[in-house]
Amino acid sequence: EVQLVESGGGVVRPGGSLRLSCAASGFTFDDYGMSWVRQVPGKGLEWVSGFNWNGGNTAYADSVKGRFTISRDNAKNSLYLQMNSLRAEDTALYHCARGSSSWYGTFDFWGQGTLVTVSS
Amino acid sequence: DIQMTQSPSSLSASVGDRVTITCQASQDISNYLNWYQQKPGKAPKLLIYDASSLETGVPSRFSGSGSGTDFTFTISSLQPEDIATYYCQQFDDLVALTFGGGTKVEIK
């Protein structure tokens, strides 16, 4: 069974940093592209960042470019999101999502998310 | 970025009704479009990929159609368990993946 479990969320002050993790199991992690998608509670979905199975073709939403860094450790079956210079508008539930293939454009499995709150 | 305009933003229908949601892209995206279902408090679930292909295990009452800029998602016979918010998503532009604003489906 495919499982994606996010962790690392919490409350952080504006300008602070946070590192999110996503532990993957139930599939061959290094065969698949991965993404982070966020959702302000009660609002819609916003793709944040994604890359291919080998970490290539990395892309970021304009809203986080230069502040967030996506990475993966295939040996640990883990996905990460380093978030720096956090802003109030980054407050959201952050989901990791598996690409349906070696690319990341279609999200066929999602984690339940980890909540990030940016507040002074 | 490619803008995805989804309508309506909400709808109320009776059990057994046919429900249709539309999604319009701001430019031609061929068939690079997916549909997701999100139930309250749950993660989104992929229902339709490549505009019209049914994801494994998804009931056949769900379907999708369209190409280019105009797409349609249909529930042929609404069931109580279909209460959710539905989102379209384009993957033509892989450096800027975008979702529609969502359609909340309720039972009348």
Side-chain angles (χ1 to χ4, degrees):
Chain A
E1 179 193 6
V2 173
Q3 285 198 331
L4 298 169
V5 180
E6 302 91 339
S7 61
V11 180
V12 61
R13 295 191 185 279
S17 298
L18 215 51
R19 189 194 195 209
L20 307 184
S21 300
C22 172
S25 60
F27 64 101
T28 304
F29 182 69
D30 52 9
D31 280 349
Y32 291 86
M34 297 293 296
S35 279
W36 288 96
V37 179
R38 68 185 181 185
Q39 184 171 32
V40 174
K43 302 296 184 183
L45 300 166
E46 180 189 18
W47 172 79
V48 172
S49 179
F51 52 17
N52 291 346
W53 65 278
N54 61 356
N57 295 98
T58 303
Y60 297 92
D62 286 345
S63 57
V64 306
K65 203 171 293 182
R67 301 186 298 122
F68 290 12
T69 303
I70 191 173
S71 62
R72 65 191 298 163
D73 185 336
N74 287 346
K76 294 183 177 180
N77 291 342
S78 292
L79 176 72
Y80 305 101
L81 186 68
Q82 178 66 43
M83 305 186 296
N84 298 330
S85 303
L86 282 161
R87 306 167 180 167
E89 54 264 36
D90 295 318
T91 294
L93 185 67
Y94 284 73
H95 298 275
C96 69
R98 190 185 83 165
S100 61
S101 68
S102 59
W103 289 80
Y104 58 91
T106 292
F107 315 119
D108 66 350
F109 283 96
W110 299 61
Q112 290 299 313
T114 186
L115 184 63
V116 173
T117 303
V118 184
S119 174
S120 55
Chain B
D1 294 4
I2 299 172
Q3 306 304 314
M4 306 302 295
T5 303
Q6 198 174 328
S7 62
S9 57
S10 65
L11 66 89
S12 182
S14 300
V15 172
D17 281 355
R18 183 180 185 88
V19 168
T20 298
I21 298 168
T22 64
C23 186
Q24 184 171 59
S26 59
Q27 65 188 65
D28 189 335
I29 60 169
S30 184
N31 69 331
Y32 298 136
L33 184 103
N34 303 316
W35 291 95
Y36 299 87
Q37 175 194 64
Q38 186 176 32
K39 296 184 177 181
K42 300 294 186 182
K45 175 186 176 182
L46 178 66
L47 298 182
I48 303 287
Y49 63 94
D50 295 349
S52 60
S53 296
L54 194 67
E55 177 72 345
T56 302
V58 173
S60 59
R61 65 180 180 275
F62 296 101
S63 65
S65 64
S67 67
T69 60
D70 295 302
F71 302 86
T72 300
F73 172 81
T74 300
I75 307 173
S76 61
S77 177
L78 186 67
Q79 300 302 304
E81 60 267 31
D82 300 336
I83 299 315
T85 299
Y86 295 84
Y87 295 92
C88 61
Q89 175 243 329
Q90 66 79 22
F91 59 102
D92 179 66
D93 182 1
L94 281 176
V95 299
L97 301 172
T98 48
F99 291 87
T103 297
K104 186 174 183 179
V105 174
E106 298 176 321
I107 295 286
K108 192 182 292 183

